[in-house]
Amino acid sequence: MLSSGQAPEITTNHDSVRGRLLINLDNSASTQNSVFLITDNAYYKNSAQQVRVAAGRQKTIEWTLNSGWFDAAIRLVGDVAWFRRAAGCVQHALRSLTTDPAIGNSELFAPQFSIEGDAYSELRFDYAVPPWMHRPKNWIGVFPRGASPTGANLLQWVYVPRGVGSVLLSTSGKAPLPPGKYDAWYLFDDGYTTLGARPVPLTLTLT
């Protein structure tokens, strides 16, 4: 939930002559600072970045395109509910429009997720999956460090029902996990088929 005094928003603009996308991080209506987290859902032309925008200010970043195409997720550090997605194509004024290179291409749009936070009550999974792998019962499971993702090893889990989004592990309704080291796996459609080749290491601390 946004803290009192936060009212962030984003807008996009494009330069058709240079074929570039501009993402404006707008914190001008806020009385509190905001830290935006911008990640590349597909195409992988951009590294994840955190951008701090002071209260009452705006910052604009340039987003690298793939043949004009883009798919970016914008989140707030420390807030699971606030989420924006910017996706589409910038038509270059001097070039022909190309077909989306990520369609059906798991090298340009592969399942991914990351972890924000280390206290159970605030632990957030940020995730993205291509449309052809999206199911409402895709889920993230927590297992002992180094253990295989099987039912016998499962310690905790939470559904990740959208194609791109965020979820708190604490919303699973289960008893909190104790502090320790774990592995988190992104898994397909209520089963144990993995989405992604490797787990993300998870370390929980005292709340």
Side-chain angles (χ1 to χ4, degrees), residues 16-30:
S16 60
V17 175
R18 295 181 60 186
R20 62 176 186 164
L21 178 75
L22 302 174
I23 302 176
N24 185 52
L25 308 173
D26 186 355
N27 204 37
S28 59
S30 300

Side-chain angles (χ1 to χ4, degrees), residues 177-196:
L177 290 169
K181 294 184 177 182
Y182 304 92
D183 283 336
W185 288 86
Y186 196 3
L187 300 158
F188 182 71
D189 199 22
D190 240 0
Y192 288 88
T193 299
T194 59
L195 294 169

